[in-house]
């Protein structure tokens, strides 16, 4: 088992008794015996020396002893002086008075005679009181130290001053701003550092401080070692006169020069924006996040002839034409709710009552941090343009109608022309066939009859002449027969397109030496004769092109039906040509005839597509809407 | 005697054909018609051995007439007479039931051609387009 820790050595409190009275000393000694150590001195000088050597816990001063020092002036009584010293040193004094009425000052008195208990109680309570005071003083010192540390550590400029301007305290930040030290600035005049222009305003503000409302914030210019800086001061009244006006104030200030400059820059920027916006030949508006308009430029106000306050909020909508109101409002609100840009046209009432079309574009506004701040928009008067557009649209519609009508007429004329041509061909062909050819056939038969008769009677000379005449008649028959079919192939009148093209292929082979393959799944009976005739002639023209330009003796014609269209493709594997030169004058002059074919097909709603290249053959596709 | 019926709309052709055939001792023109309707009415009565039909007739054309007559009298030889020598025409005529296709302007061929067809053979003029 270990030895218990030694108890701390307790030293009894030291009591210094100032008295020349032996009996009193005995009484005190007896009363405090065992718990206090009593030292007795005869007078105050001795007591002070003893106290310097070993400070006591309590002074007991017998007022019946000689207390006045020889060298002390009679400015204050010994009790007053001792009380002051006690307060200074922190050592409590108990005066032992002979009779009531000797008490003066704040120090405690113990009236003689007193009991030991009374003495101990008094001494103990004074010691406790002294300890409490010391602890409080210590706490106060620590608190002040903390406060000072806080104040000194602040970047804020802290000062305390009287209303007349005398600085009672400044912290390091304040002193640094002034290029000085706190000590040097104590007693300096606070007003010397305030920009003179701001004096009246600052003074007026400070005078508004009352005990009931002791705080106020002021922004003013503060003259520092680095020049004038804008400062925000939080002022607090610390002391007031009888009328409640502040006499002493505390203030904490921060440098807001950068903010002020930014605000000034912003203000100037806004001013420039508004100047520019007011001078702009457009209407400019700005809203807040609540959709309400917060500003409109001069252009808008001049146009509507209304005051700003009439237009703010949703007042601007009062100018919108009733027929456009709903569209305008809905577009605005819906775009706003989804933060989308919008563009809308509506009629806006001008100052003279005329509704004019405007084009209004709105954009959501965001801060640099992405926060939605409302909308900004601009509108322009497009009334004249709108009216011109409407007029132009009407004219265009009229023009389109006229073009369409004229196109229909041209198509009808073309159809009629095609049929008239065909009719003329047929008519001539019919005359050739019905009259001339029949006459020739008749003559040929008559000659044959005469030949027979002459053979019977033996007339060789006449027979030779007749044979020659019959040969001529035969030549005439072949010529007219060819002319008949060239003018109007009889097969074209009654048969399908494929049959007519089959016949054409035989003609091309027989007369022009071109082998034409007709690739058709069926006959393709077309309801409109003019279309049938046109397509027949288109194919014949294309086959003539092959014969004349391709340098080959073979071609293929492919017929297909595609969604109400007749598609005919004529292809060869001949010389080909550069298609970009196709519709130039030189090619047209060379007689390709493609230009004419293309134009005719176009007028009937068709197309002509040509695919060709040097030495890579040619493929021409005609596509035409038809009725089967 | 071979009885020949002529269907031809052109009077000069009818007259010339009649004159040409009449010269042949074995040929006899038993009747004439200038269109299909007349022909159909008369042929039943005339009972020809062969009918010469022009391909181009007003109203019902020659090929349609051939088709009709061939359906009515499949044994009756029907000869197509035409100024057109195209293969398509020839094919159509033969498909309709004609047993010959004679080009006009070949007068000297005609009597012999008639005899060939009446004998039951097919006759095609030499100048016709070849066809398949």
């Amino acid at each position: 088992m270990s030895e218990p820790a030694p108890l701390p050595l307790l030293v009894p409190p030291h009591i210094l008794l100032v008295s020349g009275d032996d009996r009193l000393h005995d009484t005190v000694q007896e009363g405090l015996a065992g718990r206090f150590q009593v030292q007795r001195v005869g007078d105050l000088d001795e007591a002070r020396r003893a106290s310097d050597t070993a400070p006591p816990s309590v002074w007991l001063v017998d007022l019946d002893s000689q207390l006045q020092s020889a060298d002390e002036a009679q400015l204050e009584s010994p009790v007053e002086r001792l009380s002051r010293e006690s307060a200074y040193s922190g050592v409590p004094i108990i005066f032992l008075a002979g009779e009531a009425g000797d008490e003066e000052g704040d120090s405690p008195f113990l009236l003689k005679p007193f009991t030991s208990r009374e003495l101990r109680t008094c001494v103990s309570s004074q010691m406790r009181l002294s300890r409490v005071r010391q602890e409080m003083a210590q706490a106060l010192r620590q608190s002040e130290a903390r406060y000072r540390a806080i104040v000194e550590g602040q970047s804020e400029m802290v000062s305390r001053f009287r209303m007349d301007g005398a600085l009672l305290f400044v912290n390091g930040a304040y002193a640094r701003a002034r290029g000085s030290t706190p000590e040097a600035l104590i007693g300096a005049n606070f007003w010397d550092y305030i920009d003179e222009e701001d004096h009246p305003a600052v003074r007026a503000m400070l005078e508004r401080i009352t005990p009931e409302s002791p705080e106020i914030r002021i922004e003013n210019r503060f003259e520092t070692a680095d020049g004038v800086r804008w400062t925000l001061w939080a002022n607090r009244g610390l002391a007031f006169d009888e009328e409640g006006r502040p006499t002493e104030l505390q203030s904490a200030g921060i440098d807001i020069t950068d903010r002020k400059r930014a605000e000034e820059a912003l203000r100037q920027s806004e001013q420039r924006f508004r100047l520019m916006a007011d001078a702009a030949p457009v209407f400019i508006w700005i809203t807040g996040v609540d959709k309400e308009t917060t500003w409109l430029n001069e252009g808008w106000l001049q146009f509507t002839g209304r005051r700003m306050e009439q237009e703010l909020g949703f007042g601007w909508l009062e100018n919108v034409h009733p027929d456009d109101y709903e569209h305008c409002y809905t577009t605005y609100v819906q775009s706003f709710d989804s933060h989308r840009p919008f563009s809308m046209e509506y009629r806006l009432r001008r100052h003279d009552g005329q509704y004019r079309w405007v084009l209004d574009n709105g954009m959501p506004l965001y801060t640099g941090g992405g926060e939605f701040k409302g909308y900004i928009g601009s509108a322009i008067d497009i009334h004249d343009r709108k009216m011109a557009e409407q007029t132009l649209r009407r004219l265009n519609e009229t023009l389109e109608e006229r073009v369409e009508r004229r196109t229909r007429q041209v198509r009808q004329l073309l159809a009629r022309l095609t049929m008239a041509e065909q009719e003329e061909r047929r008519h001539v062909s019919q005359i050739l066939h019905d009259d001339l050819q029949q006459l020739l056939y008749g003559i040929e038969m008559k000659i044959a009859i005469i030949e027979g008769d002459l053979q019977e009677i033996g007339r060789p000379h006449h027979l030779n002449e007749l044979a020659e005449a019959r040969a001529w008649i035969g030549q005439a028959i072949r010529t007219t027969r060819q002319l008949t079919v060239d003018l109007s192939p009889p097969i074209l009148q009654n048969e399908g397109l494929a049959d007519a093209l089959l016949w054409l292929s035989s003609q091309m082979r027989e007369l022009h030496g071109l082998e034409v393959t007709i690739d058709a799944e069926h006959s393709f009976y077309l309801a409109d004769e003019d279309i049938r005739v046109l397509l027949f002639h288109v194919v014949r023209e294309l086959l003539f092109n092959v014969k004349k330009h391709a340098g080959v003796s073979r071609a293929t014609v492919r017929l297909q039906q595609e969604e109400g269209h007749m598609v005919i493709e004529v292809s060869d594997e001949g010389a080909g040509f550069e298609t970009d030169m196709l519709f130039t004058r030189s090619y047209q002059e060379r007689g390709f005839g493609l230009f004419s074919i293309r134009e005719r097909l176009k007028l009937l709603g068709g197309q002509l597509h040509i695919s060709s290249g040097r030495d890579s053959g040619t493929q021409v596709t005609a596509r035409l809407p038809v009725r089967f | 005697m071979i009885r020949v019926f002529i269907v031809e709309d052109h009077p000069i052709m009818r007259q010339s054909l009649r004159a040409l055939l009449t010269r042949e001792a074995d040929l006899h023109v038993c009747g004439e018609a200038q269109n299909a309707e007349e022909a159909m009415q008369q042929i039943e009565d005339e009972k020809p051995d062969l009918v010469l039909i022009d391909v181009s007739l007003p109203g019902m054309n020659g090929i349609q007439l051939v088709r009709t007559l061939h359906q009515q009298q499949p044994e009756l030889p029907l000869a197509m007479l035409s100024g057109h020598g195209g293969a398509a025409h020839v094919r159509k005529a033969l498909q309709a039931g004609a047993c010959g296709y004679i080009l006009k302007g070949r007068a000297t061929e005609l009597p012999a051609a008639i005899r060939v067809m009446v004998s039951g053979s097919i006759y095609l003029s030499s100048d016709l387009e070849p066809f398949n």
Side-chain angles (χ1 to χ4, degrees), chain A residues 433-435 437-439 441-446 448-449 451-453 456 470 477-478 481 484-485 490-491 494-495 499 503 506-507 509-510, chain B residues 8-10 12-13 15-17 19-20 23 54 56 61 82-89 91-92 103-108 110 127 129-130:
Chain A
H433 177 266
D434 292 353
D435 297 326
Q437 280 182 25
Q438 304 308 317
L439 284 172
Y441 294 145
I443 292 168
E444 193 261 351
M445 280 190 279
K446 290 291 184 187
I449 292 167
E451 273 181 333
D453 292 345
E456 287 175 6
R470 198 148 62 84
I477 287 171
R478 282 192 297 277
R481 187 184 288 158
T484 303
V485 294
I491 197 162
N494 304 311
E495 306 301 331
D499 297 313
W503 175 83
S506 69
Q507 291 288 296
R509 180 177 60 245
E510 190 177 316
Chain B
E8 167 64 65
D9 62 324
H10 205 284
I12 290 176
M13 278 299 291
Q15 183 199 345
S16 300
L17 283 168
L20 184 69
R23 288 187 72 257
D54 182 21
S56 303
N61 66 31
S82 172
H84 309 299
H89 280 82
R91 187 185 298 112
K92 282 178 184 293
L103 268 180
K104 289 182 178 176
R106 290 281 183 276
T108 52
L110 193 56
D127 282 359
E129 276 181 16

Side-chain angles (χ1 to χ4, degrees), chain A residues 183-442:
Chain A
E183 294 76 19
L185 290 177
I186 301 301
N189 195 314
F190 151 83
W191 289 107
D192 291 344
Y193 309 144
I194 304 298
D195 193 289
E196 272 191 33
E197 279 186 29
D198 294 344
H199 278 203
V202 172
R203 189 176 293 281
M205 292 289 282
L206 291 177
E207 285 174 352
R208 285 166 59 184
I209 293 176
T210 62
E212 293 75 30
S213 178
E215 282 192 3
I216 203 156
R217 286 171 185 265
I218 304 173
E219 289 180 8
N220 63 269
R221 284 163 288 187
F222 178 58
E223 290 179 357
T224 72
D226 296 330
V228 175
R229 309 284 295 179
W230 274 97
T231 310
L232 169 65
W233 300 101
N235 298 283
R236 184 177 182 84
L238 296 178
F240 299 87
D241 61 15
E242 300 80 25
E243 296 174 4
R245 287 180 302 209
T247 55
E248 187 178 326
L249 303 102
Q250 177 175 284
S251 142
I254 54 170
D255 189 331
I256 57 167
T257 307
D258 290 344
R259 195 196 83 195
K260 276 287 193 187
R261 283 178 183 159
E263 284 176 355
E264 178 62 14
L266 182 64
R267 192 186 62 76
Q268 287 182 3
S269 171
E270 282 187 356
Q271 192 176 21
R272 279 197 301 274
F273 164 74
R274 292 193 178 193
L275 276 172
M276 195 171 66
D278 279 341
V282 296
F283 314 142
I284 299 175
W285 50 264
I286 296 175
T287 76
V289 295
D290 55 0
K291 302 188 182 76
E292 295 200 8
T293 302
T294 54
W295 182 81
L296 299 108
N297 76 337
E298 191 59 26
W300 179 287
L301 300 176
Q302 282 181 4
F303 181 87
T304 58
R306 282 156 54 101
R307 295 189 308 280
M308 178 76 86
E309 56 269 28
Q310 290 177 289
E311 302 294 75
L312 294 181
F314 289 95
W316 63 276
L317 276 167
E318 293 167 11
N319 306 305
V320 176
H321 192 284
D323 291 348
D324 301 336
Y325 186 95
E326 189 175 343
H327 163 69
C328 186
Y329 180 77
T330 306
T331 303
Y332 175 71
V333 169
Q334 287 181 351
S335 303
F336 207 103
D337 287 342
S338 54
H339 296 184
R340 277 187 290 105
F342 65 82
S343 181
M344 58 184 178
E345 291 181 4
Y346 56 90
R347 281 162 289 181
L348 190 68
R349 189 176 54 221
R350 201 168 59 178
H351 56 82
D352 58 1
Q354 185 195 5
Y355 281 100
R356 293 182 66 83
W357 282 99
V358 296
L359 171 64
D360 202 341
N361 294 299
M363 290 281 292
L365 265 179
Y366 294 95
T367 63
E371 185 190 358
F372 176 65
K373 297 296 286 182
Y375 265 66
I376 183 168
S378 66
I380 54 171
D381 183 340
I382 58 164
H383 192 77
D384 295 337
R385 193 192 84 193
K386 190 92 174 170
M387 292 299 104
E389 279 176 358
Q390 285 179 0
T391 306
L392 190 61
R393 197 176 305 121
R394 277 198 299 276
L395 286 173
N396 276 342
E397 284 167 3
T398 308
L399 188 62
E400 280 173 14
E401 280 172 18
R402 289 171 60 186
V403 168
E404 200 175 326
R405 192 166 61 242
R406 189 55 58 89
T407 303
R408 275 200 306 275
Q409 288 174 343
V410 169
R411 283 182 183 175
Q412 288 167 355
L413 281 173
L414 179 66
R416 272 193 274 175
L417 179 64
T418 303
M419 290 313 297
E421 278 178 3
Q422 184 61 19
E423 191 55 40
E424 190 60 26
R425 285 163 180 263
R426 194 154 48 208
H427 181 61
V428 173
S429 171
Q430 198 165 6
I431 291 172
L432 284 172
H433 177 266
D434 292 353
D435 297 326
L436 191 56
Q437 280 182 25
Q438 304 308 317
L439 284 172
L440 290 171
Y441 294 145

Side-chain angles (χ1 to χ4, degrees), chain A residues 554-566:
Chain A
R554 286 184 176 279
T556 301
V557 179
R558 182 171 293 115
L559 281 75
Q560 282 179 299
Q561 181 181 338
E562 281 181 13
E563 298 170 351
H565 285 72
M566 189 75 228

Side-chain angles (χ1 to χ4, degrees), chain B:
Chain B
M1 184 71 75
I2 298 170
R3 294 166 61 82
V4 179
F5 192 93
I6 298 168
V7 187
E8 167 64 65
D9 62 324
H10 205 284
I12 290 176
M13 278 299 291
R14 284 200 305 277
Q15 183 199 345
S16 300
L17 283 168
R18 175 179 281 275
L20 184 69
L21 297 179
T22 306
R23 288 187 72 257
E24 301 294 325
D26 58 340
L27 302 180
H28 168 66
V29 177
C30 63
E32 295 174 10
Q34 59 182 353
N35 56 46
E37 288 71 26
E38 280 183 18
M40 285 190 288
Q41 286 171 7
Q42 293 181 39
I43 284 169
E44 184 123 14
D45 300 332
E46 298 296 340
K47 304 221 178 325
D49 297 311
L50 182 139
V51 183
L52 269 179
I53 304 169
D54 182 21
V55 77
S56 303
L57 293 172
M60 181 189 285
N61 66 31
I63 289 176
Q64 290 167 321
L65 177 61
V66 167
R67 190 176 292 119
T68 306
L69 289 175
H70 184 66
Q71 285 170 357
Q72 292 171 353
Q73 302 179 60
E75 302 302 321
L76 177 61
L78 303 167
M80 184 66 42
L81 195 60
S82 172
H84 309 299
H89 280 82
V90 177
R91 187 185 298 112
K92 282 178 184 293
L94 296 180
Q95 284 169 349
C99 61
Y101 197 99
I102 303 159
L103 268 180
K104 289 182 178 176
R106 290 281 183 276
T108 52
E109 290 181 15
L110 193 56
I114 290 170
R115 292 183 192 104
V116 167
M117 288 183 280
V118 169
S119 69
S121 298
I122 289 174
Y123 182 86
L124 299 175
S125 282
S126 56
D127 282 359
L128 292 177
E129 276 181 16
F131 70 98
N132 298 317

